Amino acid sequence: EAQVPAGGNYKFQDDLTITNTITMAKASVSVVILDQSGEYSGKGFELQTRYNIDGRHSYDTALNTALYKELAEKLDLVIQEGPAINAKTYTITLAEGYKDLQNYEVTLQTGTLTITPKQLTFTWPTVTGGVYQGENPGVTLTGNEFEGFVDGEDYGNIESLIKIVYSGTTNAGTPYSGDTVPAEAGSYTVTVTLGEGNYTLNAGAQAYLVARADYSFTVDINGWTYNAYDATANAPSVSG
């Protein structure tokens, strides 16, 4: 209420109204969302409330002050891409409502959610190797070699991602590497790897030997006569 000092030379007229407009700007705050991580579980990841407001952690008692408490109650963390289930990286941001806060102008730095693949346990089947031009079976997997799947999943979830690779050197000194069983006799290793997905594998390697084939032959030297050798008629013959 406006008043004139008593005893002065002026007074307000009875119907005089004085108005003024006060503009209150929004408070500027910086919100930095902290990164989070978890292992693949087959279920959607549940975000923790973890962010900084003007450098103070969301779990800091400083947020209990009237200013930050009011603001924090209006900030909801969400995953930008939707439910985070599969192993990969996602963006953590704020629900759209933060742009419409009445008293705050929020500068946002998003965070990253990383879902890592789940490690499987692998037991090697019996690796017997093979023989050149003979039995050479390679490594066959049935699915029983793998353990550690999340509930509701099994070998069928990774079968298409499995790769068996043979590498080594033939007995003739030629390097070899491929996903087919080596045909040439030589010393090799075999590895089992898993492509990118919700599981990871560290199977190591096993030795795989392709042995030389047994070879037998006979030499026919019949028909020789002492001191009467004929290079055409009496030449030795080899068979086998």
Side-chain angles (χ1 to χ4, degrees), residues 120 122 140-146 149 153-164 192-199 201:
L120 292 177
F122 180 79
T140 301
L141 302 178
T142 64
N144 294 326
E145 301 84 4
F146 300 87
F149 296 100
E153 297 188 0
D154 55 24
Y155 179 63
N157 293 89
I158 64 169
E159 187 173 6
S160 63
L161 302 175
I162 292 174
K163 189 173 185 179
I164 301 174
V192 177
T193 58
L194 193 57
E196 185 175 347
N198 292 326
Y199 295 95
L201 186 66

Side-chain angles (χ1 to χ4, degrees), residues 32 34 48-53 55-64 72 77:
V32 178
L34 304 181
Q48 297 176 322
T49 304
R50 300 192 66 219
Y51 51 78
N52 291 342
I53 298 179
R56 295 174 171 85
H57 290 294
S58 59
Y59 43 81
D60 194 310
T61 54
L63 282 183
N64 292 327
L77 296 184

Side-chain angles (χ1 to χ4, degrees), residues 17 44 99 135 221 223 228:
T17 301
K99 298 179 180 179
E135 186 176 349
I221 57 174

Side-chain angles (χ1 to χ4, degrees), residues 38 121 128 226:
T121 300
T128 59
Y226 175 72

Side-chain angles (χ1 to χ4, degrees), residues 224-230:
W224 285 19
T225 302
Y226 175 72
N227 206 27
Y229 176 75
D230 185 302

Side-chain angles (χ1 to χ4, degrees), residues 31-35 50-51 77 92-94 108-111:
V31 176
V32 178
I33 299 177
L34 304 181
D35 294 342
R50 300 192 66 219
Y51 51 78
L77 296 184
I92 309 173
T93 186
L94 292 175
L108 174 64
Q109 179 178 318
T110 60

